[in-house]
Amino acid sequence: MPREWDAATYDRVADPQARWGAEVIGRVDPAGVTRVLDAGCGTGRVTERLLERLPDAACVALDASEQMLAEAGRRLTRFGGRVTFVCADLRDPLPLDRPVDAIVSTATFHWVPDHAGLFRRLAQALRPGGQLVAQYGGVGNIASVVRALAEIGDPLPGRWTYPTPEEERRRLAAAGFVDVQVWLHPEPTAFEPGGPFETFLATVILREHLALLPEPERAGFVRAVAARLPGACLDYVRLNVVARRA
Ligand SMILES: C[S@@+](CC[C@H](N)C(=O)[O-])C[C@H]1O[C@@H](n2cnc3c(N)ncnc32)[C@H](O)[C@@H]1O
């Protein structure tokens, strides 16, 4: 699967993710946080809010995409040495030289398989008592897109990990997290129809599907998916996690 994103376009179209991320940042308890990890920082729009909320903290901005990190580097220049950029895959042990006090992650974990393993790696990267505050797709997320893809022949069925709260609670507890809160909320999101909606689908949701297709077939694939959706609206369902390492 391609690690790269069209970071400039993502930065322009990801207003919903930035809005949700700002709310998630509000759940971070600033007490005792001197070093925080943003796991899957993308272009840094949410990281920027995090740095503003924790003005005395240093931040590790981690992502698997060089293009995303380059865009984040430009956006976060004003924070100078407070930010360290790390190109790494969350499917591997996290390459941090010492534990962090908090991990924040938005709109990322549904791209990572095996959440039992992911939570173990995150626990290893956190100091005892450190916080995990995350939001990503939960069960039922963009079910209309999953259905549309199934109708036209999905080349990547089951690509996304959209767990239930019960599954995540069990995995978090097994990885050594306590004070675990996990909940779902619906986040239906409307877009400007036509080109803007198709650009969002192509850049954010169908990126990996399109990478499998020759360039001339990509626009038609996006249109075929969009035509099967109930208008320019996505039935997002977000799964929220707040927990502490024991
Ligand atoms: C939808 S973007 C979210 C970015 C940002 N957190 C936001 O809310 O706008 C998902 C990000 O997760 C990163 N990502 C996906 N899978 C990853 C993995 N296995 N390891 C590290 N980063 C990953 C992508 O490169 C991308 O930047």
Side-chain angles (χ1 to χ4, degrees):
M1 284 301 114
R3 281 173 154 220
E4 283 310 329
W5 289 60
D6 175 349
T9 307
Y10 179 81
D11 196 60
R12 184 167 54 79
V13 302
D15 288 351
Q17 283 80 358
R19 196 170 59 244
W20 307 333
E23 203 176 317
V24 173
I25 295 308
R27 297 175 191 152
V28 177
D29 175 2
V33 180
T34 60
R35 196 159 178 260
V36 59
L37 167 69
D38 186 351
C41 64
T43 62
R45 287 178 69 172
V46 179
T47 326
E48 189 172 21
R49 300 281 86 79
L50 182 61
L51 284 154
E52 287 166 353
R53 175 156 172 83
L54 303 170
D56 299 321
C59 177
V60 180
L62 179 149
D63 205 281
S65 158
E66 297 276 8
Q67 280 193 37
M68 286 296 212
L69 286 169
E71 195 74 27
R74 283 189 283 277
R75 174 180 298 282
L76 303 175
T77 311
R78 71 184 166 101
F79 297 99
R82 283 181 62 202
V83 191
T84 310
F85 297 93
V86 174
C87 188
D89 194 322
L90 291 166
R91 289 174 296 184
D92 302 327
L94 275 58
L96 303 183
D97 54 3
R98 60 187 195 282
V100 293
D101 304 304
I103 297 177
V104 170
S105 183
T106 58
T108 295
F109 289 170
H110 48 263
W111 295 101
V112 182
D114 179 20
H115 282 192
L118 171 67
F119 295 151
R120 278 197 300 274
R121 292 189 289 283
L122 296 178
Q124 277 162 12
L126 268 178
R127 69 156 163 82
Q131 329 165 38
L132 171 63
V133 178
Q135 185 186 81
Y136 45 101
V139 62
N141 194 50
I142 55 167
S144 59
V145 177
V146 173
R147 257 194 316 273
L149 283 166
E151 280 171 26
I152 60 174
D154 187 348
L156 295 171
R159 167 62 186 98
W160 301 296
T161 303
Y162 294 146
T164 65
E166 293 71 28
E167 287 167 335
E168 296 303 71
R169 273 186 214 111
R170 206 173 46 243
R171 292 167 180 151
L172 286 159
F177 285 93
V178 295
D179 301 337
V180 171
Q181 299 172 58
V182 183
W183 72 100
L184 289 174
H185 78 270
E187 196 70 73
T189 302
F191 295 83
E192 197 180 329
F197 184 45
E198 287 168 19
T199 299
F200 184 90
L201 287 172
T203 308
V204 182
I205 295 179
L206 301 174
R207 180 182 63 93
E208 291 181 336
H209 292 76
L210 298 181
L212 298 172
L213 295 174
E215 169 64 37
E217 293 177 25
R218 293 179 184 170
F221 186 88
V222 175
R223 261 182 241 121
V225 171
R228 285 168 172 77
L229 301 178
C233 184
L234 291 173
D235 45 353
Y236 277 111
V237 177
R238 312 315 282 170
L239 187 143
N240 303 278
V241 171
V242 178
R244 280 192 185 269
R245 194 192 141 182

